[in-house]
Each structure stands twice: as C-alpha cells, then as structure tokens.
C-alpha cells in the first residue's frame, strides 16, 4: 500500500465485496494523508461477471453471477463508496463479438437505468 500511495496514479482492486473494497479504500486514503500525498489516487474496480441468460437461483450464487438484473444489483452495492470507475469485463464468457456487444449494451442500459 505504501508503494501504491507513493508511486502509483491509481488502484485497480478486484471486486471482492463492497465492504472490503470500502475498507481498503479508506486505508489507502488514510495512508495517503499520512504520507502527504496531494494528487488524487484514481480507483477503478474490475469485475468479470458470469452472465447467464436466466436468473441464477441457489445458495451457491457468487457475486456478479446471474442475469443482467443480478449483475446490476451487485454493482449497485458499490454505489457511494467513492470509486472513480467500474470496469465490467464481459468478454471472457461471450461466444462471439455479436453476443458480447449485445450483453454489454444490456448491462450498460440496465446499470444506467438503476442510477449507476
């Protein structure tokens, strides 16, 4: 964390839960203040959703697994933390470019409609 605060322009954490990301961001901000950092530390959270055509039901559901509504609900849990950006990478699960384009548009539209 010291190297990040002293040398980096930003932080790219994995979306391992809003509470964990918020706690780590607070630690970084406190450390930055202690070390006299004056320039902003840009925070971009990355997530690789497991998009499914149907809603994922069951106790074994992981965050960002399921249909578009479930993915957007998981994104909304990060609202208000103070993040600069969210990088939602849907490319790994798409079968082709057309499907990737369609899923990206659907997630983007739903996230915007939800206020994210």
């Amino acid at each position: 964390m010291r190297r990040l605060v002293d040398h980096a322009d930003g932080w790219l954490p994995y979306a391992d839960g809003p509470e964990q990301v918020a706690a780590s961001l607070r630690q970084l901000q406190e450390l930055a203040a202690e070390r006299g950092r004056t320039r902003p530390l840009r925070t971009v959270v990355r997530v690789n959703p497991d998009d499914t055509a149907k809603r994922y039901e069951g106790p074994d559901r992981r965050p960002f697994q399921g249909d578009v509504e479930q993915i957007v609900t998981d994104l909304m849990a990060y609202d208000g933390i103070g993040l600069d950006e969210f990088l939602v990478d849907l490319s790994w699960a798409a079968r082709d470019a057309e499907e990737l384009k369609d899923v990206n548009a659907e997630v983007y539209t739903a996230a915007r409609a939800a206020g994210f």
Side-chain angles (χ1 to χ4, degrees), residues 51-98:
D51 175 55
T52 58
K54 295 184 204 170
R55 185 168 187 80
Y56 191 95
E57 300 294 343
D60 62 335
R61 180 183 171 270
R62 298 179 319 277
F64 302 103
Q65 178 185 24
D67 65 7
V68 170
E69 181 183 337
Q70 289 173 303
I71 291 169
V72 171
T73 297
D74 292 339
L75 282 171
M76 294 303 293
Y78 289 81
D79 192 34
I81 292 175
L83 307 171
D84 295 301
E85 274 184 68
F86 228 93
L87 172 61
V88 180
D89 184 355
L90 294 155
S91 64
W92 72 276
R95 290 180 299 237
D96 57 35
E98 195 64 32

Side-chain angles (χ1 to χ4, degrees), residues 98-112:
E98 195 64 32
E99 181 182 21
L100 176 61
K101 184 176 81 170
D102 292 344
V103 171
N104 274 318
E106 192 176 355
V107 170
Y108 178 83
T109 300
R112 286 296 188 205

Side-chain angles (χ1 to χ4, degrees), residues 2 4 16 20-22 27-32 37-38 44 47 50 57 59 61 70 72 81 87 89 94 106:
R2 282 191 312 272
L4 190 148
D16 59 355
Q20 294 88 338
V21 171
Q27 286 178 321
L28 280 173
Q29 291 168 335
E30 289 168 6
L31 183 60
R37 182 183 176 115
T38 56
V44 180
V47 64
D50 184 5
E57 300 294 343
R61 180 183 171 270
Q70 289 173 303
V72 171
I81 292 175
L87 172 61
D89 184 355
E106 192 176 355

